[in-house]
């Protein structure tokens, strides 16, 4: 069995324009005579590889601690994607049977593709960019997916992964009441 870490390192990952930059502050340090090392963190809920909760764009939507973990763990398809995705492209991929889809490359999730994903019951969508859609279409694409409770996994690193079928484990941190959280997802190649 091969395990692929498909996350990005938090402090060196790109940050969405306007989001807070991640920072660390030493609280206790062994070299200063303290009993242990402890570090305070300051970062946005969408820093690094992260999952969007419905409440990120849907008023009254579920928060990250309410996302069903069954959406985050299970069979997954990695598909190469470039350019704008169509509803037909989505139908062809989801016909293969995997309820979770990770997009490798620069595939643009269009509103049409997002609506088709929600309609066909996709559980989770992952992308390598730090957001789905474009600057212009991102809010609509997020709403189309999140109103159907499709878990959105963003800022993945699929550079070492070939397209194909895998087992995904991508549980978000349990931040009570928040709109998103960091994830360290792994893909398992069981062959």
């Amino acid at each position: 069995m091969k395990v692929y870490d498909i996350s990005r390192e938090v402090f060196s990952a790109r940050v969405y324009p306007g989001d807070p930059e991640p920072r660390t502050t030493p609280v206790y340090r062994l070299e200063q005579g303290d009993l242990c090392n402890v570090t305070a963190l300051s970062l946005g809920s969408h820093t690094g590889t992260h999952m969007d909760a419905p409440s990120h764009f849907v008023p009254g939507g579920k928060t990250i601690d309410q996302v069903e973990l069954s959406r985050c763990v299970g069979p997954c398809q990695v598909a190469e994607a470039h350019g704008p995705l169509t509803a037909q492209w989505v139908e062809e991929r989801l016909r293969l049977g995997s309820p979770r889809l990770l997009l490798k490359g620069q595939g643009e999730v269009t509103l049409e593709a997002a609506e088709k994903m929600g309609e066909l019951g996709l559980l989770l969508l992952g992308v390598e960019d730090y957001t789905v859609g474009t600057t212009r279409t991102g809010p609509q694409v997020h709403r189309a997916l999140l109103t159907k409770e499709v878990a959105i996994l963003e800022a993945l690193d699929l550079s070492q992964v070939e397209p194909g079928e895998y087992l995904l484990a991508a549980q978000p941190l349990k931040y009570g009441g928040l709109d998103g959280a960091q994830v360290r997802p792994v893909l398992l190649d069981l062959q």
Side-chain angles (χ1 to χ4, degrees), residues 21 28 36 56 69 80 82 93 98 101 111 126 130 142-143 148-149 158 164 168 185 188 191:
E21 294 286 334
Y28 301 118
C36 60
H56 185 37
L69 293 181
E80 190 86 33
H82 298 283
R93 292 309 164 283
S98 181
L101 178 63
L111 181 56
Y130 53 65
H142 275 88
R143 277 191 214 67
K148 296 290 189 172
E149 296 189 9
L158 297 170
L168 173 69
L188 305 174
Q191 299 178 14

Side-chain angles (χ1 to χ4, degrees), residues 12-24:
S12 62
R14 285 182 8 194
V15 175
Y16 190 82
D19 280 5
E21 294 286 334
R23 303 196 191 299
T24 62

Side-chain angles (χ1 to χ4, degrees), residues 15 24-25 31-32 43 46 48-49 62-63 72 86 89 93 97 100 114 122 124 136 155 168 180 185 187:
V15 175
T24 62
T25 305
E31 63 269 8
Q32 294 176 353
L43 63 148
H46 300 268
T49 304
K62 288 183 177 178
T63 56
C72 309
T86 64
W89 186 93
R93 292 309 164 283
R100 295 166 195 83
L122 187 69
L124 178 142
R136 186 177 55 77
L168 173 69
L187 285 176

Side-chain angles (χ1 to χ4, degrees), residues 7 10 13 44 47 52-53 56 59-61 63 68 99 109 119 126 132 138 150 163 165 176 188:
S7 66
V10 172
T47 300
D52 293 349
H56 185 37
T63 56
E68 298 166 22
V109 181
E119 177 187 317
V132 295
V150 176
E165 296 292 322
L188 305 174

Side-chain angles (χ1 to χ4, degrees), residues 9 15 18 26 43 81 83 85 96 106 129 134 137 161 170 174 185:
E9 194 280 321
V15 175
L43 63 148
L85 304 182
L96 298 174
Q106 296 302 309
D129 204 354
T134 64
T137 65
V161 180
K174 195 172 185 178

